[in-house]
Amino acid sequence: MPGPAALGAAAAALVAALLLARREDTGPGTGPSKAEMEALPKLREDFKMQNKSVLILGASGETGRVLLREILEQNLFSRVTLIGRRKLTFEEEAYKNVNQEVVDFEKLEDYTSAFQGHDVGFCCLGTTRNKAGAGEVEARVGELKFDRYSVFRPGVLLCDRQESRPGEWLVRKFFGSLPDSWANGHSVPVVTVARAMLNNMVRPSDKQMELLDNKAIHELGKAHGVLKP
């Protein structure tokens, strides 16, 4: 992983690249082996002991919101920072120590300090198919020379958010009514995506870039030891 300074220096460019992302048909991905699944509880505990810090972009969206909740419930980081266009309001006590930085995504060069001092970054900014190809995004992120970065390509996200794009509610209901063996091939619950992101983070890897498709996300998100003890 890059040091805090390196992460901060590249984060603005990373955001600009990921803002172009879109979902498309899933590509190859790597799920956890049996040994990795069994090792997850210890890996998570070892990670906690390192007192790392994390930033989250897109915490107001469904994936970012669930990811933040999972991070706080699992107590993985000593410091959590949200970066967004506006401050979010939380009533629960668990969120009282969450830091928030407000930035203008059109002028990210003016807000590099907001990204500095973090060991891990998650980008959950939502986009549409009409923006740009995922391959272009992956190439641009690769140019930033992170020691390790992971790209998640989920299927249709299943969630209970009240506000949806046209047709999203109907699509989620459709997949929710299908047998698991069918639905899992093309859809995934948002909480499974969030847990997969965290499980993938704590497991070691010798790859600079990882691409996880819907199948790998399901396997990682449901891996043994994913839940808080």
Side-chain angles (χ1 to χ4, degrees):
M1 280 186 174
L7 179 61
L14 173 61
V15 174
L18 291 180
L19 279 169
L20 299 175
R22 67 177 175 91
R23 289 193 200 102
E24 62 178 25
D25 293 340
T26 56
T30 304
S33 66
K34 182 178 179 181
E36 286 178 322
M37 291 172 66
E38 294 174 348
L40 277 174
K42 185 177 187 305
L43 288 172
R44 188 177 57 222
E45 291 303 316
D46 290 345
F47 187 90
K48 290 180 183 180
M49 298 297 293
Q50 299 177 50
N51 293 319
K52 291 184 177 294
S53 58
V54 63
L55 66 84
I56 304 175
L57 295 133
S60 61
E62 189 65 22
T63 302
R65 182 183 65 82
V66 175
L67 177 65
L68 173 60
R69 185 187 68 200
E70 288 292 322
I71 284 174
L72 295 178
E73 287 183 355
Q74 295 188 33
N75 194 29
L76 289 169
F77 295 94
S78 60
R79 183 162 66 98
V80 178
T81 302
L82 309 183
I83 298 179
R85 293 183 176 88
R86 59 183 176 83
K87 282 196 173 183
L88 305 180
T89 301
F90 302 105
E91 297 180 358
E92 296 89 342
E93 182 72 10
Y95 293 82
K96 67 177 183 179
N97 293 324
V98 173
N99 303 302
Q100 298 197 54
E101 296 281 352
V102 176
V103 303
D104 182 346
F105 284 105
E106 300 299 324
K107 300 178 181 179
L108 285 176
E109 65 277 6
D110 295 336
Y111 299 91
T112 55
S113 62
F115 297 89
Q116 294 175 351
H118 299 90
D119 302 293
V120 179
F122 290 106
C123 182
C124 304
L125 296 170
T127 57
T128 65
R129 284 181 175 270
N130 295 326
K131 295 282 184 172
E136 177 186 350
V137 173
E138 290 152 17
R140 292 183 63 181
V141 174
E143 293 172 359
L144 299 178
K145 305 299 182 183
F146 284 110
D147 289 343
R148 178 187 179 189
Y149 67 95
S150 304
V151 177
F152 291 79
R153 287 189 184 176
V156 175
L157 295 175
L158 303 179
C159 58
D160 295 321
R161 68 178 178 186
Q162 296 177 346
E163 296 182 6
S164 302
R165 297 187 181 97
E168 275 191 354
W169 181 88
L170 181 60
V171 170
R172 290 198 300 270
K173 289 297 181 183
F174 170 73
F175 280 105
S177 67
L178 293 176
D180 288 345
S181 59
W182 289 10
N184 287 353
H186 303 282
S187 64
V188 60
V190 171
V191 67
T192 301
V193 177
R195 290 172 177 174
M197 294 168 75
L198 296 176
N199 279 340
N200 188 65
M201 175 193 69
V202 301
R203 69 172 183 162
S205 175
D206 57 0
K207 298 179 180 178
Q208 181 191 23
M209 184 272 191
E210 304 163 297
L211 194 158
L212 293 100
D213 63 9
N214 204 58
K215 181 177 183 293
I217 291 171
H218 270 283
E219 292 174 351
L220 265 172
K222 296 179 178 179
H224 175 71
V226 66
L227 296 176
K228 181 179 64 173

